[in-house]
Amino acid sequence: KQEVTQIPAALSVPEGENLVLNCSFTDSAIYNLQWFRQDPGKGLTSLLLIQSSQREQTSGRLNASLDKSSGRSTLYIAASQPGDSATYLCAVSPDSNYQLIWGAGTKLIIKP
Amino acid sequence: GAVVSQHPSWVICKSGTSVKIECRSLDFQATTMFWYRQFPKQSLMLMATSNEGSKATYEQGVEKDKFLINHASLTLSTLTVTSAHPEDSSFYICSARAAGAYEQYFGPGTRLTVT
C-alpha cells in the first residue's frame, strides 16, 4: 500500500532564505507526483507536476525534483517571501486514473 | 478559469442531524467529481468518486449510507452527511475534472463541526 510522508510537518524561516521541503513515498511504481499549495479558506492549487519519467520541473522560484528509485521528491523554494506561507502538500498518482495519494503536508511560515 | 466552489464554507450542526454540502464547477462541465475529507495535520483521504448521472464509487471504509453523494448535473455534486456525529467533524474538500482532462480542480473546502 502506497504511503506518502512529508517532513517536516512545520517549518518557519526568515524571509529571503532558500528552503527545501521533503516528500517520500513507499512504492516507486508511480505515474506522477504533484506538489500542491493549500491556503486557509481557499482551494488547493497545483504547483508542479512531475511525470514518472522526469527528474525535475521548474516554475519561477519553485523547483521540484523526483527520484523514483529512492522514493523521494523535494520542493525547493528560492528567495522565500511571506506570501509563500501556506501548507504544501505532496501527492502521488499510482496510475493514469489520477487517483491521488496524499502526504499530510508541511506548514510553511515565512517570517518578514 | 477552472473554478470550483463549495457551499457552505463552514457549518455547525447538532448530533443526529443531516448536513448537505454543495460542490459546483463554475466555468466548466465536470464529468467527474471527487470528495475528500481532511483531519487536522493529516492527509487528504479520498471518500468517493462520482460520475455525472451514475452512482458514486466509495472508497473502502466509507459508509455510503452515511455519506450520500449525488452528481445529478455536470456542474453540481452534493455530499450529504446523514445523522452526523461529532466524529464526522472534519474538513471536506471536493474536486472536479472535465471529460477527457487529466487535472483536478479543487474547491475551497467546507469545515463541518458536529456538536
Side-chain angles (χ1 to χ4, degrees):
Chain A
K1 178 186 175 184
Q2 178 73 274
E3 292 182 0
V4 180
T5 304
Q6 291 186 249
I7 296 174
L11 180 64
S12 180
V13 301
E15 179 179 5
E17 283 197 5
N18 304 324
L19 58 99
V20 174
L21 306 181
N22 296 294
C23 172
S24 61
F25 45 96
T26 54
D27 187 346
S28 62
I30 64 170
Y31 185 72
N32 61 44
L33 181 145
Q34 202 160 351
W35 283 92
F36 292 85
R37 169 180 174 146
Q38 184 176 28
D39 294 276
K42 298 182 181 180
L44 279 72
T45 303
S46 177
L47 298 173
L48 291 164
L49 185 150
I50 310 176
Q51 301 290 354
S52 61
S53 58
Q54 297 175 323
R55 298 282 292 182
E56 66 177 348
Q57 281 287 333
T58 299
S59 176
R61 294 183 293 108
L62 305 180
N63 176 277
S65 69
L66 174 64
D67 184 343
K68 257 195 3 172
S69 60
S70 67
R72 295 174 188 271
S73 175
T74 61
L75 179 66
Y76 175 83
I77 302 177
S80 59
Q81 302 171 358
D84 295 330
S85 298
T87 297
Y88 290 81
L89 299 170
C90 165
V92 300
S93 290
D95 52 43
S96 59
N97 289 325
Y98 202 68
Q99 181 181 19
L100 295 171
I101 301 170
W102 300 82
T106 295
K107 185 175 182 179
L108 176 64
I109 297 174
I110 306 299
K111 298 174 289 187
Chain B
V3 178
V4 176
S5 69
Q6 280 185 242
H7 178 80
S9 55
W10 59 271
V11 57
I12 300 173
C13 71
K14 292 187 177 181
S15 186
T17 62
S18 295
V19 174
K20 180 182 286 188
I21 302 170
E22 294 185 349
C23 176
R24 294 181 185 272
S25 56
L26 300 184
D27 50 5
F28 66 101
Q29 293 186 325
T31 52
T32 305
M33 287 186 170
F34 304 87
W35 286 95
Y36 298 87
R37 65 187 299 182
Q38 184 182 31
F39 291 108
K41 299 183 180 180
Q42 294 188 26
S43 311
L44 273 75
M45 297 297 295
L46 179 66
M47 300 176 65
T49 302
S50 72
N51 292 297
E52 186 266 338
S54 60
K55 290 184 178 181
T57 301
Y58 290 80
E59 294 300 304
Q60 191 174 11
V62 178
E63 299 176 60
K64 61 181 181 181
D65 294 330
K66 180 168 184 62
F67 298 99
L68 301 179
I69 292 172
N70 183 279
H71 190 170
S73 80
L74 287 171
T75 60
L76 174 65
S77 177
T78 60
L79 167 66
T80 301
V81 183
T82 63
S83 187
H85 290 131
E87 57 264 32
D88 298 325
S89 298
S90 187
F91 194 58
Y92 292 86
I93 302 173
C94 74
S95 68
R97 185 175 71 187
Y102 183 76
E103 190 165 2
Q104 294 180 35
Y105 297 95
F106 290 82
T110 297
R111 173 76 60 193
L112 170 64
T113 301
V114 184
T115 61

